[in-house]
Amino acid sequence: MILAEKLARLQQEKEKCESDRFANVDQFMAGQLDKEVYQRRRADLGRLAERLDADIAELEQKLKAAETVTDDSLSQALGVMKKYSGADELTQAMVQELIEKVVVTDPEHVEIVWKFKDEVRNFIGI
């Protein structure tokens, strides 16, 4: 999932930023940096950390919302399929709930587009 990959990348950037903040303090304490350079780096890294924290929080919310939608869609799909699992024939009600469209390309070829295809495929691992 793209959101999860982006979140992982931002979390790695945050870890590097924190590491750089510690290195900045260590270099200043060791006398390798003068006070102005240390303070400028500290301010820059502080702003970067704040931006990363905000971006991470935003992505976590988006990811949580996406997971909720997927869970709801799967629950709806399973509920509809369970409702019709013992049916002996296809009824109009079933067609309305299960089929998005029927595409007739010629007299010998018909394609049925199911409403819950993605949820079902994800659920069964295809």
Side-chain angles (χ1 to χ4, degrees):
M1 172 175 255
I2 294 171
L3 287 177
E5 292 168 3
K6 189 172 183 180
L7 180 60
R9 186 179 50 78
L10 285 175
Q11 289 170 333
Q12 289 173 344
E13 287 180 35
K14 173 70 176 172
E15 289 174 16
K16 183 183 180 318
C17 180
E18 292 302 323
S19 175
D20 290 348
R21 289 172 94 173
F22 285 117
N24 188 46
V25 171
D26 289 345
Q27 290 171 351
F28 177 68
M29 299 300 271
Q32 297 171 341
L33 298 176
D34 64 25
K35 189 174 183 177
E36 282 183 31
V37 172
Y38 160 73
Q39 289 176 333
R40 186 175 64 244
R41 283 185 183 172
R42 184 179 71 182
D44 290 345
L45 290 169
R47 283 189 297 273
L48 177 60
E50 287 176 12
R51 183 182 57 80
L52 288 170
D53 284 339
D55 290 348
I56 287 169
E58 181 182 343
L59 272 179
E60 285 174 339
Q61 286 296 334
K62 286 180 180 179
L63 193 58
K64 187 175 181 179
E67 289 171 353
T68 300
V69 168
T70 300
D71 288 346
D72 289 347
S73 297
L74 181 58
S75 294
Q76 182 184 4
L78 292 175
V80 171
M81 285 182 266
K82 188 175 183 181
K83 180 176 166 181
Y84 296 118
S85 64
D88 293 331
E89 60 183 40
L90 185 65
T91 65
Q92 184 60 35
M94 292 168 67
V95 169
Q96 289 174 339
E97 284 193 82
L98 296 170
I99 297 175
E100 183 175 321
K101 63 182 174 181
V102 176
V103 180
V104 180
T105 53
D106 61 55
E108 295 181 16
H109 297 91
V110 175
E111 177 186 356
I112 297 173
V113 179
W114 300 96
K115 286 185 179 179
F116 303 109
K117 179 177 74 173
D118 293 337
E119 288 83 358
V120 173
R121 286 181 151 201
N122 290 338
F123 180 71
I124 61 176
I126 294 179

